[in-house]
Amino acid sequence: MSGSNSSTIFRLDASIRIEGSVTRAVADTLQATISAELGNPAVVRRDVGSVPLGGAVWADAALSRLLPAEQRTGEQRSAIELAGELADELASADTLVFAVPMYNFGVSQHFKTWYDIVSTDPRLAPGADDIAGRPAFLVTARGGGYGPGTPREGWDHATAWMQRVLVDVWGLDLETIETELTLAEVTPQMAELRDLAKQQLAASHDTARVVGRSVTHRLLTAS
Ligand SMILES: Cc1cc2nc3c(=O)[nH]c(=O)nc-3n(C[C@H](O)[C@H](O)[C@H](O)COP(=O)(O)O)c2cc1C
C-alpha cells in the first residue's frame, strides 16, 4: 500500500554516536517504512544525542512558570521559548519515534533533559492530553541482557520509566522495539552471545518494518 497525505513524523534521537548506533539504525528502518508507505511525509527531527539541550534550561523553564511574566529573567524567557518550540515539534506530528539507548543502567540524560524541558510546556505537563492517543514508537537498545533469569534481571532502570511517561503521562499509543546484547560484538566475555545478538538485531529491524506498515495503515484509514 502506498499513499500520500499530510502526515508528519517526529523523530528524536538520543544515542551519543552516529556510526554503529543500533537505535538510529532500527529507527531508520521504521522511518523508511512509514515514509515509503505514506508517500514522503514531513519529518521533524530533534537529535539530542548530537546536540544536547542545556542542563540549566529546565530549572529556568520550571521556576519561571511560578513567576509573573514581567519578573522573568532573559534566561527564563528563553527557556520558556525553547520549551514551546520543543512542544510545537511534538504537537505538529501524528507519529512519534523516540530512539533512546540505555546508559549506566538508566535513561539517557539527554532524553531526560529533553523530557523535563518539554514537560514544562502546559501542553505536555502531567494532566494535559494534547498528544494522547497518537501512535508512538520507543526504539531502545542495551549493551547487555536483562531478561528473566539473567544475572542483571531488574537492572534496567531506563525502559520502564520511558514507558511510564510516554504511556501513562502523555497517553501515547506506544509500541516498544528493544534490542539487547549490542555490546556482544566488541566484548570478549560476551563472545558466545554474538549469534543471539545478531538474531535480536535482525528481529528488531523486522519488527520495525511490521509496525511501520501497521501504523501507516491506521493513519491512512483514519485520514
Ligand atoms: C557511556 C555508556 C554507558 C553505557 N551503559 C550501559 C549500561 O549500563 N548497560 C548496558 O547494558 N549497556 C550500556 N551501554 C551500551 C549501550 O546501551 C549500547 O551500546 C547501545 O547499543 C547504545 O545505543 P546505540 O547503539 O544506539 O548507540 C553503555 C554505553 C555507553 C556509551
Side-chain angles (χ1 to χ4, degrees):
M1 174 180 51
S2 76
S4 148
N5 64 12
S6 56
S7 291
T8 300
I9 300 171
F10 169 76
R11 171 165 168 187
L12 177 142
D13 285 281
S15 172
I16 58 174
R17 60 186 180 156
I18 305 282
E19 208 48 48
S21 164
V22 169
T23 52
R24 288 178 192 271
V26 174
D28 283 347
T29 297
L30 177 62
Q31 184 186 323
T33 306
I34 299 171
S35 295
E37 301 268 324
L38 285 181
N40 272 332
V43 181
V44 174
R45 293 194 65 161
R46 175 60 64 173
D47 190 339
V48 296
S50 300
V51 187
L53 301 169
V57 175
W58 168 64
D60 280 333
L63 294 177
S64 62
R65 297 274 177 205
L66 310 172
L67 295 172
E70 66 279 6
Q71 286 179 25
R72 290 174 185 155
T73 65
E75 285 81 11
Q76 288 173 331
R77 281 197 298 274
S78 306
I80 286 187
E81 231 168 78
L82 176 59
E85 201 182 301
L86 300 177
D88 287 345
E89 291 173 357
L90 275 181
S92 69
D94 41 28
T95 305
L96 313 173
V97 177
F98 304 95
V100 188
M102 169 198 268
Y103 291 125
N104 296 321
F105 307 107
V107 71
S108 140
Q109 65 163 295
H110 297 325
F111 179 71
K112 178 69 162 57
T113 299
W114 173 86
Y115 180 84
D116 286 345
I117 296 170
V118 77
S119 297
T120 65
D121 188 280
R123 290 168 288 173
L124 281 315
D129 64 357
D130 286 43
I131 60 170
R134 293 191 197 176
F137 301 91
L138 171 61
V139 178
T140 191
R142 304 183 274 278
Y146 299 85
T150 60
R152 290 202 167 155
E153 178 181 0
W155 285 48
D156 172 8
H157 299 287
T159 313
W161 180 81
M162 292 192 282
Q163 291 171 329
R164 175 71 70 202
V165 296
L166 296 173
V167 176
D168 297 315
V169 180
W170 284 349
L172 297 174
D173 183 359
L174 189 75
E175 188 90 45
T176 303
I177 307 174
E178 304 173 72
T179 312
E180 290 200 325
L181 308 176
T182 66
L183 287 177
E185 202 53 44
V186 294
T187 307
Q189 301 91 311
M190 296 175 76
E192 78 279 10
L193 295 169
R194 284 177 191 159
D195 283 347
L196 189 57
K198 282 191 189 112
Q199 286 166 22
Q200 282 207 16
L201 181 58
S204 291
H205 282 285
D206 286 345
T207 302
R209 281 184 278 269
V210 170
V211 297
R213 278 193 291 270
S214 109
V215 75
T216 50
H217 177 76
R218 181 175 147 188
L219 290 170
L220 288 170
T221 49
S223 64

